[in-house]
Amino acid sequence: MIRLYSMLLSVIFIPLACAGQQVTRLSLNDCIDYALKHNYTIKNAAIDVLIQQAQNNETVAAAYPHINAKLELDDYLNPQQSIIDGKYLGMPGTTEKFAFTLPYGGSGSINATQVVFDGSVLIALKARKTVMEFARQNSAVTEEGIRYNIFKAYNSLAIAYRQYDIVKNSLSYARSLEHDITVTQQNGFAEKIDVERTSVQVNNLATDSIRIGNLLTVSEEVLKYQIGMDIKTPIVLTDTLVDERKQDAVDLLLQEKKYDRVPEYILSQTSLTLNEFNLKRYQLEAWPTVNAFGGMGYNYPTTNFNQIFVFPNYLFNSAIGLQVNIPIFNGLLRKNQVTEAKLNVEKSKNTIENVKQTIDFQEAQARTSLKNAILETQSQHRNLELATDVLDLARRKYKAGVGSNLEVTQAQTDQLSAQTNYFNALLDIINAEADLKKALGLLK
């Protein structure tokens, strides 16, 4: 018994140890806003959008001119030689070796290329906006998942707070009753079994209080983890009117289904568009590509190494041109790439239909669960009111001396059971509401 009280006191006074720390007050919207800034999954999703922006800029770079400069200094240790028939030198029947390259050479040049027409570059430029939309929509899907988890974690914690307060109040009353019966038994007006029965209830309530207190700690840590907050930070929830969830749930049932509100559906549509771009890219690879080029430079070969550094000796050269590359046969590579791209388009269309069916199923299931949870909550709320009235009557009868402590103990046990059932029904509403909001695309 003493050990049980010690454990209970440790649970109750743990929050008091944090009293000296700055307590953070959080509404549901505060948690979501905090998560958007601090949750690492969301941070990485935002970074992915920036990465995609950088990749888009890389695509744009392919359409810009590419300019390169080069400086070169050569020392031909063993210049390549050619063999000439000696008859051209007046020595028929012999051969002579000649190196046409001078031992030293220096050169400097600048060259530029510009894509005039390339189907793959053209499609990539057209797809830039869609690619960015896809990255943002991926981020939105990630955010929706975090919102979903926060919604459930926050409201579950709010319910746990309510349960904890009720159990503590019941424990306080049970202790008071235990003290009164103990005094009465010591004066010879009550039996030992009455004291023991009350002590059993106190022990049970103390155990429940410890269990719920530990659950509160875990639930708080889950919420802090979801929003990206240090789990050691003390928090207080401000949206604790969990009973209002019933009306919100009823209002939610009136919402109509719209696919284009659901992030997963929007993402699948964009994925189809990207696959269609990919198909066009491979189809356009059968077209010729046209590139313009130009360059100019100076070069100077010499037998005297020191002359390389005398700039007036260098000879100017320049050239411009247009290059057309015509694909003729590449081992059926492009044909198979087109086939693969077409299949990916068909796969994306199937994915869209599957997402629609998934939304239909989740929406129907969540609506049914929510309706059942609302009915169950209404029923359990009536039971709780009745149990509370019975407990109030039993307490008044006991104080008036016309009732027994057994009636009070039993009535309090029944009320706690009714409260547990009521809060479990509220938790079912929260879970079903989160599921339906996700299916309807309303987790904003």
mmCIF file of all heavy atoms in Angstrom, residues 4-16 156-172 175 205-217 219-220 242 416 419-420 423:
data_model
loop_
_atom_site.group_PDB
_atom_site.id
_atom_site.type_symbol
_atom_site.label_atom_id
_atom_site.label_comp_id
_atom_site.label_asym_id
_atom_site.label_seq_id
_atom_site.Cartn_x
_atom_site.Cartn_y
_atom_site.Cartn_z
ATOM 1 N N LEU A 4 2.490 1.693 -3.296
ATOM 2 C CA LEU A 4 1.545 2.168 -4.308
ATOM 3 C C LEU A 4 1.359 3.674 -4.190
ATOM 4 O O LEU A 4 1.345 4.407 -5.182
ATOM 5 C CB LEU A 4 0.206 1.443 -4.134
ATOM 6 C CG LEU A 4 -0.849 1.677 -5.219
ATOM 7 C CD1 LEU A 4 -0.324 1.229 -6.571
ATOM 8 C CD2 LEU A 4 -2.137 0.933 -4.886
ATOM 9 N N TYR A 5 1.219 4.165 -2.971
ATOM 10 C CA TYR A 5 1.074 5.615 -2.761
ATOM 11 C C TYR A 5 2.317 6.363 -3.217
ATOM 12 O O TYR A 5 2.236 7.457 -3.781
ATOM 13 C CB TYR A 5 0.792 5.912 -1.281
ATOM 14 C CG TYR A 5 -0.627 5.623 -0.857
ATOM 15 C CD1 TYR A 5 -0.913 5.281 0.460
ATOM 16 C CD2 TYR A 5 -1.679 5.685 -1.779
ATOM 17 C CE1 TYR A 5 -2.214 5.004 0.863
ATOM 18 C CE2 TYR A 5 -2.977 5.413 -1.377
ATOM 19 C CZ TYR A 5 -3.250 5.063 -0.058
ATOM 20 O OH TYR A 5 -4.519 4.806 0.327
ATOM 21 N N SER A 6 3.487 5.766 -2.956
ATOM 22 C CA SER A 6 4.733 6.420 -3.372
ATOM 23 C C SER A 6 4.804 6.553 -4.880
ATOM 24 O O SER A 6 5.214 7.589 -5.419
ATOM 25 C CB SER A 6 5.938 5.604 -2.864
ATOM 26 O OG SER A 6 5.925 5.536 -1.457
ATOM 27 N N MET A 7 4.385 5.491 -5.577
ATOM 28 C CA MET A 7 4.378 5.550 -7.036
ATOM 29 C C MET A 7 3.406 6.602 -7.527
ATOM 30 O O MET A 7 3.691 7.361 -8.458
ATOM 31 C CB MET A 7 4.001 4.170 -7.610
ATOM 32 C CG MET A 7 5.052 3.090 -7.386
ATOM 33 S SD MET A 7 4.479 1.476 -7.958
ATOM 34 C CE MET A 7 4.335 1.807 -9.716
ATOM 35 N N LEU A 8 2.249 6.660 -6.885
ATOM 36 C CA LEU A 8 1.246 7.647 -7.291
ATOM 37 C C LEU A 8 1.748 9.067 -7.086
ATOM 38 O O LEU A 8 1.602 9.935 -7.956
ATOM 39 C CB LEU A 8 -0.046 7.423 -6.499
ATOM 40 C CG LEU A 8 -1.176 8.427 -6.756
ATOM 41 C CD1 LEU A 8 -1.585 8.390 -8.225
ATOM 42 C CD2 LEU A 8 -2.369 8.134 -5.874
ATOM 43 N N LEU A 9 2.366 9.297 -5.954
ATOM 44 C CA LEU A 9 2.894 10.633 -5.670
ATOM 45 C C LEU A 9 3.960 11.018 -6.677
ATOM 46 O O LEU A 9 4.046 12.173 -7.105
ATOM 47 C CB LEU A 9 3.452 10.688 -4.247
ATOM 48 C CG LEU A 9 2.410 10.646 -3.111
ATOM 49 C CD1 LEU A 9 3.102 10.527 -1.770
ATOM 50 C CD2 LEU A 9 1.524 11.897 -3.156
ATOM 51 N N SER A 10 4.772 10.042 -7.095
ATOM 52 C CA SER A 10 5.821 10.350 -8.072
ATOM 53 C C SER A 10 5.211 10.767 -9.389
ATOM 54 O O SER A 10 5.720 11.662 -10.058
ATOM 55 C CB SER A 10 6.735 9.133 -8.274
ATOM 56 O OG SER A 10 6.025 8.073 -8.897
ATOM 57 N N VAL A 11 4.113 10.132 -9.781
ATOM 58 C CA VAL A 11 3.455 10.494 -11.039
ATOM 59 C C VAL A 11 2.832 11.871 -10.943
ATOM 60 O O VAL A 11 2.916 12.696 -11.853
ATOM 61 C CB VAL A 11 2.378 9.438 -11.411
ATOM 62 C CG1 VAL A 11 1.553 9.921 -12.596
ATOM 63 C CG2 VAL A 11 3.029 8.113 -11.729
ATOM 64 N N ILE A 12 2.182 12.133 -9.801
ATOM 65 C CA ILE A 12 1.499 13.421 -9.643
ATOM 66 C C ILE A 12 2.481 14.568 -9.581
ATOM 67 O O ILE A 12 2.257 15.653 -10.140
ATOM 68 C CB ILE A 12 0.613 13.397 -8.376
ATOM 69 C CG1 ILE A 12 -0.533 12.397 -8.577
ATOM 70 C CG2 ILE A 12 0.074 14.782 -8.062
ATOM 71 C CD1 ILE A 12 -1.410 12.218 -7.349
ATOM 72 N N PHE A 13 3.629 14.350 -8.919
ATOM 73 C CA PHE A 13 4.554 15.461 -8.709
ATOM 74 C C PHE A 13 5.615 15.590 -9.792
ATOM 75 O O PHE A 13 6.389 16.529 -9.757
ATOM 76 C CB PHE A 13 5.226 15.350 -7.334
ATOM 77 C CG PHE A 13 4.299 15.668 -6.196
ATOM 78 C CD1 PHE A 13 3.796 14.650 -5.394
ATOM 79 C CD2 PHE A 13 3.895 16.971 -5.961
ATOM 80 C CE1 PHE A 13 2.934 14.949 -4.357
ATOM 81 C CE2 PHE A 13 3.034 17.267 -4.921
ATOM 82 C CZ PHE A 13 2.540 16.247 -4.113
ATOM 83 N N ILE A 14 5.647 14.684 -10.760
ATOM 84 C CA ILE A 14 6.577 14.848 -11.884
ATOM 85 C C ILE A 14 6.302 16.146 -12.632
ATOM 86 O O ILE A 14 7.230 16.901 -12.937
ATOM 87 C CB ILE A 14 6.514 13.633 -12.827
ATOM 88 C CG1 ILE A 14 7.309 12.490 -12.219
ATOM 89 C CG2 ILE A 14 7.074 13.968 -14.195
ATOM 90 C CD1 ILE A 14 7.222 11.187 -13.011
ATOM 91 N N PRO A 15 5.006 16.469 -12.953
ATOM 92 C CA PRO A 15 4.761 17.742 -13.630
ATOM 93 C C PRO A 15 5.212 18.940 -12.808
ATOM 94 O O PRO A 15 5.613 19.965 -13.355
ATOM 95 C CB PRO A 15 3.243 17.744 -13.834
ATOM 96 C CG PRO A 15 2.853 16.294 -13.809
ATOM 97 C CD PRO A 15 3.779 15.677 -12.822
ATOM 98 N N LEU A 16 5.157 18.810 -11.443
ATOM 99 C CA LEU A 16 5.552 19.940 -10.609
ATOM 100 C C LEU A 16 7.047 20.194 -10.710
ATOM 101 O O LEU A 16 7.515 21.319 -10.510
ATOM 102 C CB LEU A 16 5.155 19.666 -9.161
ATOM 103 C CG LEU A 16 3.645 19.518 -8.893
ATOM 104 C CD1 LEU A 16 3.405 19.239 -7.420
ATOM 105 C CD2 LEU A 16 2.888 20.762 -9.346
ATOM 106 N N SER A 156 -6.139 12.665 -28.630
ATOM 107 C CA SER A 156 -5.980 11.525 -27.722
ATOM 108 C C SER A 156 -5.375 11.984 -26.400
ATOM 109 O O SER A 156 -5.782 11.522 -25.317
ATOM 110 C CB SER A 156 -5.089 10.460 -28.361
ATOM 111 O OG SER A 156 -5.675 9.937 -29.532
ATOM 112 N N LEU A 157 -4.430 12.904 -26.477
ATOM 113 C CA LEU A 157 -3.816 13.439 -25.260
ATOM 114 C C LEU A 157 -4.825 14.260 -24.459
ATOM 115 O O LEU A 157 -4.865 14.184 -23.227
ATOM 116 C CB LEU A 157 -2.602 14.297 -25.620
ATOM 117 C CG LEU A 157 -1.835 14.927 -24.448
ATOM 118 C CD1 LEU A 157 -1.367 13.865 -23.469
ATOM 119 C CD2 LEU A 157 -0.641 15.725 -24.978
ATOM 120 N N ALA A 158 -5.657 15.026 -25.165
ATOM 121 C CA ALA A 158 -6.679 15.819 -24.473
ATOM 122 C C ALA A 158 -7.647 14.909 -23.710
ATOM 123 O O ALA A 158 -8.052 15.213 -22.574
ATOM 124 C CB ALA A 158 -7.442 16.685 -25.474
ATOM 125 N N ILE A 159 -8.020 13.784 -24.303
ATOM 126 C CA ILE A 159 -8.899 12.824 -23.629
ATOM 127 C C ILE A 159 -8.188 12.210 -22.424
ATOM 128 O O ILE A 159 -8.782 12.030 -21.348
ATOM 129 C CB ILE A 159 -9.345 11.733 -24.617
ATOM 130 C CG1 ILE A 159 -10.332 12.311 -25.619
ATOM 131 C CG2 ILE A 159 -9.979 10.554 -23.887
ATOM 132 C CD1 ILE A 159 -10.774 11.345 -26.680
ATOM 133 N N ALA A 160 -6.917 11.899 -22.594
ATOM 134 C CA ALA A 160 -6.154 11.323 -21.480
ATOM 135 C C ALA A 160 -6.083 12.297 -20.304
ATOM 136 O O ALA A 160 -6.159 11.884 -19.139
ATOM 137 C CB ALA A 160 -4.756 10.947 -21.951
ATOM 138 N N TYR A 161 -5.938 13.601 -20.600
ATOM 139 C CA TYR A 161 -5.967 14.608 -19.535
ATOM 140 C C TYR A 161 -7.284 14.557 -18.763
ATOM 141 O O TYR A 161 -7.307 14.622 -17.521
ATOM 142 C CB TYR A 161 -5.793 16.011 -20.133
ATOM 143 C CG TYR A 161 -4.367 16.416 -20.398
ATOM 144 C CD1 TYR A 161 -4.037 17.132 -21.548
ATOM 145 C CD2 TYR A 161 -3.350 16.111 -19.509
ATOM 146 C CE1 TYR A 161 -2.730 17.525 -21.805
ATOM 147 C CE2 TYR A 161 -2.046 16.504 -19.759
ATOM 148 C CZ TYR A 161 -1.744 17.202 -20.911
ATOM 149 O OH TYR A 161 -0.458 17.577 -21.159
ATOM 150 N N ARG A 162 -8.399 14.462 -19.506
ATOM 151 C CA ARG A 162 -9.711 14.413 -18.858
ATOM 152 C C ARG A 162 -9.832 13.178 -17.970
ATOM 153 O O ARG A 162 -10.307 13.255 -16.830
ATOM 154 C CB ARG A 162 -10.804 14.385 -19.932
ATOM 155 C CG ARG A 162 -11.061 15.722 -20.617
ATOM 156 C CD ARG A 162 -11.910 16.645 -19.735
ATOM 157 N NE ARG A 162 -13.190 16.025 -19.415
ATOM 158 C CZ ARG A 162 -14.265 16.046 -20.211
ATOM 159 N NH1 ARG A 162 -14.200 16.668 -21.386
ATOM 160 N NH2 ARG A 162 -15.390 15.473 -19.838
ATOM 161 N N GLN A 163 -9.416 12.045 -18.496
ATOM 162 C CA GLN A 163 -9.481 10.817 -17.709
ATOM 163 C C GLN A 163 -8.638 10.923 -16.444
ATOM 164 O O GLN A 163 -9.053 10.488 -15.358
ATOM 165 C CB GLN A 163 -9.000 9.629 -18.551
ATOM 166 C CG GLN A 163 -9.981 9.194 -19.633
ATOM 167 C CD GLN A 163 -9.457 8.007 -20.404
ATOM 168 O OE1 GLN A 163 -8.446 8.099 -21.084
ATOM 169 N NE2 GLN A 163 -10.141 6.880 -20.315
ATOM 170 N N TYR A 164 -7.473 11.508 -16.589
ATOM 171 C CA TYR A 164 -6.569 11.633 -15.452
ATOM 172 C C TYR A 164 -7.184 12.500 -14.349
ATOM 173 O O TYR A 164 -7.143 12.149 -13.158
ATOM 174 C CB TYR A 164 -5.250 12.220 -15.927
ATOM 175 C CG TYR A 164 -4.146 12.205 -14.897
ATOM 176 C CD1 TYR A 164 -3.816 11.032 -14.214
ATOM 177 C CD2 TYR A 164 -3.417 13.349 -14.614
ATOM 178 C CE1 TYR A 164 -2.796 11.006 -13.283
ATOM 179 C CE2 TYR A 164 -2.390 13.335 -13.673
ATOM 180 C CZ TYR A 164 -2.090 12.157 -13.011
ATOM 181 O OH TYR A 164 -1.087 12.132 -12.073
ATOM 182 N N ASP A 165 -7.790 13.618 -14.742
ATOM 183 C CA ASP A 165 -8.424 14.503 -13.759
ATOM 184 C C ASP A 165 -9.578 13.798 -13.042
ATOM 185 O O ASP A 165 -9.738 13.925 -11.817
ATOM 186 C CB ASP A 165 -8.939 15.765 -14.457
ATOM 187 C CG ASP A 165 -7.817 16.681 -14.908
ATOM 188 O OD1 ASP A 165 -6.700 16.550 -14.365
ATOM 189 O OD2 ASP A 165 -8.043 17.510 -15.813
ATOM 190 N N ILE A 166 -10.375 13.055 -13.790
ATOM 191 C CA ILE A 166 -11.523 12.374 -13.196
ATOM 192 C C ILE A 166 -11.069 11.299 -12.214
ATOM 193 O O ILE A 166 -11.616 11.166 -11.114
ATOM 194 C CB ILE A 166 -12.412 11.774 -14.311
ATOM 195 C CG1 ILE A 166 -13.122 12.902 -15.057
ATOM 196 C CG2 ILE A 166 -13.426 10.791 -13.737
ATOM 197 C CD1 ILE A 166 -13.860 12.447 -16.296
ATOM 198 N N VAL A 167 -10.064 10.523 -12.612
ATOM 199 C CA VAL A 167 -9.566 9.471 -11.729
ATOM 200 C C VAL A 167 -8.959 10.083 -10.465
ATOM 201 O O VAL A 167 -9.152 9.557 -9.350
ATOM 202 C CB VAL A 167 -8.531 8.594 -12.468
ATOM 203 C CG1 VAL A 167 -7.814 7.666 -11.493
ATOM 204 C CG2 VAL A 167 -9.210 7.775 -13.538
ATOM 205 N N LYS A 168 -8.254 11.188 -10.590
ATOM 206 C CA LYS A 168 -7.679 11.844 -9.404
ATOM 207 C C LYS A 168 -8.776 12.329 -8.457
ATOM 208 O O LYS A 168 -8.651 12.176 -7.234
ATOM 209 C CB LYS A 168 -6.785 13.012 -9.832
ATOM 210 C CG LYS A 168 -5.447 12.610 -10.387
ATOM 211 C CD LYS A 168 -4.453 13.756 -10.385
ATOM 212 C CE LYS A 168 -4.941 14.934 -11.201
ATOM 213 N NZ LYS A 168 -3.968 16.044 -11.194
ATOM 214 N N ASN A 169 -9.833 12.901 -9.021
ATOM 215 C CA ASN A 169 -10.942 13.363 -8.174
ATOM 216 C C ASN A 169 -11.628 12.186 -7.481
ATOM 217 O O ASN A 169 -11.980 12.258 -6.288
ATOM 218 C CB ASN A 169 -11.955 14.131 -9.012
ATOM 219 C CG ASN A 169 -11.411 15.469 -9.495
ATOM 220 O OD1 ASN A 169 -10.520 16.041 -8.855
ATOM 221 N ND2 ASN A 169 -11.924 15.976 -10.596
ATOM 222 N N SER A 170 -11.796 11.092 -8.239
ATOM 223 C CA SER A 170 -12.423 9.906 -7.645
ATOM 224 C C SER A 170 -11.538 9.324 -6.554
ATOM 225 O O SER A 170 -12.024 8.860 -5.510
ATOM 226 C CB SER A 170 -12.684 8.856 -8.730
ATOM 227 O OG SER A 170 -13.583 9.347 -9.700
ATOM 228 N N LEU A 171 -10.236 9.338 -6.792
ATOM 229 C CA LEU A 171 -9.300 8.826 -5.798
ATOM 230 C C LEU A 171 -9.341 9.678 -4.533
ATOM 231 O O LEU A 171 -9.305 9.149 -3.411
ATOM 232 C CB LEU A 171 -7.889 8.805 -6.383
ATOM 233 C CG LEU A 171 -6.756 8.367 -5.445
ATOM 234 C CD1 LEU A 171 -6.995 6.947 -4.935
ATOM 235 C CD2 LEU A 171 -5.400 8.450 -6.158
ATOM 236 N N SER A 172 -9.433 10.977 -4.714
ATOM 237 C CA SER A 172 -9.498 11.875 -3.555
ATOM 238 C C SER A 172 -10.744 11.596 -2.713
ATOM 239 O O SER A 172 -10.677 11.522 -1.474
ATOM 240 C CB SER A 172 -9.493 13.328 -4.029
ATOM 241 O OG SER A 172 -9.622 14.215 -2.943
ATOM 242 N N ARG A 175 -10.435 8.185 -0.887
ATOM 243 C CA ARG A 175 -9.567 8.278 0.291
ATOM 244 C C ARG A 175 -10.315 8.909 1.463
ATOM 245 O O ARG A 175 -10.172 8.486 2.616
ATOM 246 C CB ARG A 175 -8.326 9.100 -0.051
ATOM 247 C CG ARG A 175 -7.273 8.335 -0.824
ATOM 248 C CD ARG A 175 -6.136 9.235 -1.198
ATOM 249 N NE ARG A 175 -5.039 8.509 -1.802
ATOM 250 C CZ ARG A 175 -4.078 9.071 -2.505
ATOM 251 N NH1 ARG A 175 -4.083 10.380 -2.678
ATOM 252 N NH2 ARG A 175 -3.114 8.346 -3.019
ATOM 253 N N LEU A 205 -8.049 2.611 -7.797
ATOM 254 C CA LEU A 205 -8.017 3.964 -8.362
ATOM 255 C C LEU A 205 -6.587 4.503 -8.426
ATOM 256 O O LEU A 205 -6.217 5.201 -9.377
ATOM 257 C CB LEU A 205 -8.894 4.904 -7.527
ATOM 258 C CG LEU A 205 -10.410 4.705 -7.676
ATOM 259 C CD1 LEU A 205 -11.159 5.549 -6.652
ATOM 260 C CD2 LEU A 205 -10.854 5.088 -9.085
ATOM 261 N N ALA A 206 -5.792 4.182 -7.405
ATOM 262 C CA ALA A 206 -4.397 4.623 -7.413
ATOM 263 C C ALA A 206 -3.644 3.985 -8.581
ATOM 264 O O ALA A 206 -2.853 4.643 -9.273
ATOM 265 C CB ALA A 206 -3.726 4.267 -6.089
ATOM 266 N N THR A 207 -3.924 2.705 -8.820
ATOM 267 C CA THR A 207 -3.294 2.013 -9.947
ATOM 268 C C THR A 207 -3.715 2.630 -11.270
ATOM 269 O O THR A 207 -2.891 2.852 -12.168
ATOM 270 C CB THR A 207 -3.658 0.518 -9.925
ATOM 271 O OG1 THR A 207 -3.218 -0.054 -8.691
ATOM 272 C CG2 THR A 207 -2.989 -0.212 -11.079
ATOM 273 N N ASP A 208 -5.015 2.919 -11.402
ATOM 274 C CA ASP A 208 -5.513 3.559 -12.623
ATOM 275 C C ASP A 208 -4.870 4.925 -12.826
ATOM 276 O O ASP A 208 -4.542 5.309 -13.952
ATOM 277 C CB ASP A 208 -7.035 3.708 -12.563
ATOM 278 C CG ASP A 208 -7.764 2.381 -12.735
ATOM 279 O OD1 ASP A 208 -7.116 1.436 -13.228
ATOM 280 O OD2 ASP A 208 -8.950 2.294 -12.374
ATOM 281 N N SER A 209 -4.706 5.650 -11.714
ATOM 282 C CA SER A 209 -4.109 6.973 -11.815
ATOM 283 C C SER A 209 -2.668 6.876 -12.292
ATOM 284 O O SER A 209 -2.220 7.671 -13.134
ATOM 285 C CB SER A 209 -4.175 7.680 -10.455
ATOM 286 O OG SER A 209 -3.633 8.981 -10.551
ATOM 287 N N ILE A 210 -1.922 5.898 -11.781
ATOM 288 C CA ILE A 210 -0.539 5.712 -12.217
ATOM 289 C C ILE A 210 -0.500 5.327 -13.691
ATOM 290 O O ILE A 210 0.307 5.845 -14.476
ATOM 291 C CB ILE A 210 0.145 4.632 -11.359
ATOM 292 C CG1 ILE A 210 0.312 5.132 -9.918
ATOM 293 C CG2 ILE A 210 1.510 4.260 -11.942
ATOM 294 C CD1 ILE A 210 0.784 4.073 -8.955
ATOM 295 N N ARG A 211 -1.379 4.398 -14.078
ATOM 296 C CA ARG A 211 -1.411 3.940 -15.470
ATOM 297 C C ARG A 211 -1.719 5.093 -16.417
ATOM 298 O O ARG A 211 -1.038 5.275 -17.446
ATOM 299 C CB ARG A 211 -2.461 2.841 -15.623
ATOM 300 C CG ARG A 211 -2.639 2.336 -17.050
ATOM 301 C CD ARG A 211 -3.703 1.246 -17.099
ATOM 302 N NE ARG A 211 -4.967 1.713 -16.573
ATOM 303 C CZ ARG A 211 -5.844 2.432 -17.271
ATOM 304 N NH1 ARG A 211 -5.561 2.791 -18.513
ATOM 305 N NH2 ARG A 211 -6.989 2.810 -16.732
ATOM 306 N N ILE A 212 -2.731 5.882 -16.083
ATOM 307 C CA ILE A 212 -3.103 7.001 -16.958
ATOM 308 C C ILE A 212 -2.032 8.079 -16.933
ATOM 309 O O ILE A 212 -1.746 8.720 -17.946
ATOM 310 C CB ILE A 212 -4.479 7.572 -16.548
ATOM 311 C CG1 ILE A 212 -5.562 6.498 -16.728
ATOM 312 C CG2 ILE A 212 -4.823 8.803 -17.368
ATOM 313 C CD1 ILE A 212 -6.928 6.913 -16.228
ATOM 314 N N GLY A 213 -1.401 8.264 -15.753
ATOM 315 C CA GLY A 213 -0.313 9.237 -15.673
ATOM 316 C C GLY A 213 0.849 8.848 -16.579
ATOM 317 O O GLY A 213 1.428 9.692 -17.280
ATOM 318 N N ASN A 214 1.183 7.570 -16.588
ATOM 319 C CA ASN A 214 2.240 7.102 -17.486
ATOM 320 C C ASN A 214 1.817 7.239 -18.950
ATOM 321 O O ASN A 214 2.632 7.569 -19.824
ATOM 322 C CB ASN A 214 2.584 5.641 -17.186
ATOM 323 C CG ASN A 214 3.292 5.482 -15.843
ATOM 324 O OD1 ASN A 214 3.945 6.412 -15.374
ATOM 325 N ND2 ASN A 214 3.153 4.319 -15.217
ATOM 326 N N LEU A 215 0.543 6.962 -19.216
ATOM 327 C CA LEU A 215 0.022 7.114 -20.569
ATOM 328 C C LEU A 215 0.104 8.573 -21.017
ATOM 329 O O LEU A 215 0.423 8.862 -22.181
ATOM 330 C CB LEU A 215 -1.430 6.633 -20.630
ATOM 331 C CG LEU A 215 -2.154 6.799 -21.968
ATOM 332 C CD1 LEU A 215 -1.464 5.973 -23.049
ATOM 333 C CD2 LEU A 215 -3.621 6.393 -21.839
ATOM 334 N N LEU A 216 -0.157 9.482 -20.083
ATOM 335 C CA LEU A 216 -0.037 10.905 -20.401
ATOM 336 C C LEU A 216 1.381 11.250 -20.821
ATOM 337 O O LEU A 216 1.598 11.976 -21.800
ATOM 338 C CB LEU A 216 -0.419 11.754 -19.180
ATOM 339 C CG LEU A 216 -1.900 12.057 -18.969
ATOM 340 C CD1 LEU A 216 -2.088 12.815 -17.667
ATOM 341 C CD2 LEU A 216 -2.454 12.857 -20.125
ATOM 342 N N THR A 217 2.353 10.732 -20.074
ATOM 343 C CA THR A 217 3.754 11.015 -20.399
ATOM 344 C C THR A 217 4.098 10.519 -21.797
ATOM 345 O O THR A 217 4.707 11.237 -22.605
ATOM 346 C CB THR A 217 4.682 10.345 -19.368
ATOM 347 O OG1 THR A 217 4.378 10.841 -18.065
ATOM 348 C CG2 THR A 217 6.136 10.639 -19.690
ATOM 349 N N SER A 219 1.968 9.840 -24.249
ATOM 350 C CA SER A 219 1.175 10.564 -25.247
ATOM 351 C C SER A 219 1.756 11.947 -25.518
ATOM 352 O O SER A 219 1.768 12.419 -26.660
ATOM 353 C CB SER A 219 -0.281 10.686 -24.786
ATOM 354 O OG SER A 219 -0.867 9.413 -24.635
ATOM 355 N N GLU A 220 2.240 12.602 -24.478
ATOM 356 C CA GLU A 220 2.881 13.901 -24.662
ATOM 357 C C GLU A 220 4.139 13.768 -25.522
ATOM 358 O O GLU A 220 4.386 14.589 -26.414
ATOM 359 C CB GLU A 220 3.235 14.517 -23.306
ATOM 360 C CG GLU A 220 2.068 15.127 -22.567
ATOM 361 C CD GLU A 220 2.509 15.869 -21.315
ATOM 362 O OE1 GLU A 220 3.729 15.859 -21.025
ATOM 363 O OE2 GLU A 220 1.643 16.448 -20.640
ATOM 364 N N VAL A 242 -12.992 18.188 -25.505
ATOM 365 C CA VAL A 242 -13.136 17.040 -26.406
ATOM 366 C C VAL A 242 -14.589 16.701 -26.684
ATOM 367 O O VAL A 242 -14.902 16.081 -27.705
ATOM 368 C CB VAL A 242 -12.404 15.808 -25.816
ATOM 369 C CG1 VAL A 242 -10.911 16.018 -25.840
ATOM 370 C CG2 VAL A 242 -12.896 15.517 -24.400
ATOM 371 N N LEU A 416 -17.028 5.143 -13.027
ATOM 372 C CA LEU A 416 -15.716 5.122 -13.678
ATOM 373 C C LEU A 416 -15.739 4.252 -14.927
ATOM 374 O O LEU A 416 -15.133 4.583 -15.944
ATOM 375 C CB LEU A 416 -14.665 4.606 -12.697
ATOM 376 C CG LEU A 416 -14.262 5.572 -11.581
ATOM 377 C CD1 LEU A 416 -13.348 4.889 -10.578
ATOM 378 C CD2 LEU A 416 -13.580 6.808 -12.156
ATOM 379 N N GLN A 419 -17.459 6.261 -17.525
ATOM 380 C CA GLN A 419 -16.567 7.305 -18.038
ATOM 381 C C GLN A 419 -15.547 6.720 -19.009
ATOM 382 O O GLN A 419 -15.258 7.300 -20.067
ATOM 383 C CB GLN A 419 -15.861 7.992 -16.867
ATOM 384 C CG GLN A 419 -16.752 8.921 -16.072
ATOM 385 C CD GLN A 419 -16.098 9.414 -14.801
ATOM 386 O OE1 GLN A 419 -15.165 8.788 -14.300
ATOM 387 N NE2 GLN A 419 -16.578 10.529 -14.273
ATOM 388 N N THR A 420 -14.992 5.558 -18.664
ATOM 389 C CA THR A 420 -14.028 4.906 -19.556
ATOM 390 C C THR A 420 -14.663 4.583 -20.900
ATOM 391 O O THR A 420 -14.081 4.827 -21.966
ATOM 392 C CB THR A 420 -13.487 3.626 -18.900
ATOM 393 O OG1 THR A 420 -12.823 3.965 -17.685
ATOM 394 C CG2 THR A 420 -12.513 2.917 -19.830
ATOM 395 N N PHE A 423 -15.172 7.873 -22.892
ATOM 396 C CA PHE A 423 -13.942 8.408 -23.477
ATOM 397 C C PHE A 423 -13.420 7.514 -24.609
ATOM 398 O O PHE A 423 -12.855 8.004 -25.586
ATOM 399 C CB PHE A 423 -12.878 8.577 -22.396
ATOM 400 C CG PHE A 423 -13.124 9.758 -21.489
ATOM 401 C CD1 PHE A 423 -13.138 9.611 -20.114
ATOM 402 C CD2 PHE A 423 -13.363 11.008 -22.027
ATOM 403 C CE1 PHE A 423 -13.376 10.693 -19.286
ATOM 404 C CE2 PHE A 423 -13.602 12.100 -21.206
ATOM 405 C CZ PHE A 423 -13.621 11.938 -19.834
#
